[in-house]
Amino acid sequence: MTRKARELAMNLFKETRKKFPEITFSSIMPSPELRKRYWIMVTGELSEERQNAMREFVADRGTDIFIDEGYSFAVMLENTMETA
């Protein structure tokens, strides 16, 4: 991972965390399918509604980053919320 990709990923995580403070950074890993695409792994307890809102936010910001910088990112949530 390049320094630029890591910087962009961490900035996206920080922006996302401001809107969704219940997430915690876990790691960054390259996508197994696409070059210059990275998964920002996070943990947290988000309802389905909050997860959808976070996905929409990340998709919008990720599109901007891809257009401006040529890197693609996704935030992948390991939801720690217990289900009944």
Side-chain angles (χ1 to χ4, degrees):
M1 167 179 265
T2 67
R3 184 179 0 201
K4 182 66 173 181
R6 180 158 183 77
E7 177 184 319
L8 291 168
M10 292 308 297
N11 286 342
L12 178 57
F13 167 73
K14 289 174 186 173
E15 287 179 46
T16 304
R17 184 144 194 238
K18 282 181 185 176
K19 292 190 80 65
F20 304 92
E22 54 272 65
I23 64 169
T24 302
F25 177 80
S26 181
S27 65
I28 303 170
M29 60 186 297
S31 165
E33 300 158 352
L34 297 172
R35 191 173 163 265
K36 290 184 122 181
R37 178 164 177 82
Y38 297 93
W39 294 348
I40 304 166
M41 308 302 289
V42 299
T43 59
E45 295 184 6
L46 280 77
S47 68
E48 188 174 335
E49 183 178 303
R50 293 283 286 162
Q51 287 180 47
N52 291 336
M54 185 179 75
R55 283 188 196 106
E56 187 175 321
F57 173 79
V58 171
D60 289 344
R61 284 297 299 127
T63 299
D64 294 341
I65 294 168
F66 182 72
I67 290 169
D68 293 343
E69 303 290 344
Y71 289 94
S72 176
F73 297 97
V75 174
M76 309 295 277
L77 174 68
E78 177 186 354
N79 196 342
T80 58
M81 181 179 282
E82 292 183 9
T83 57

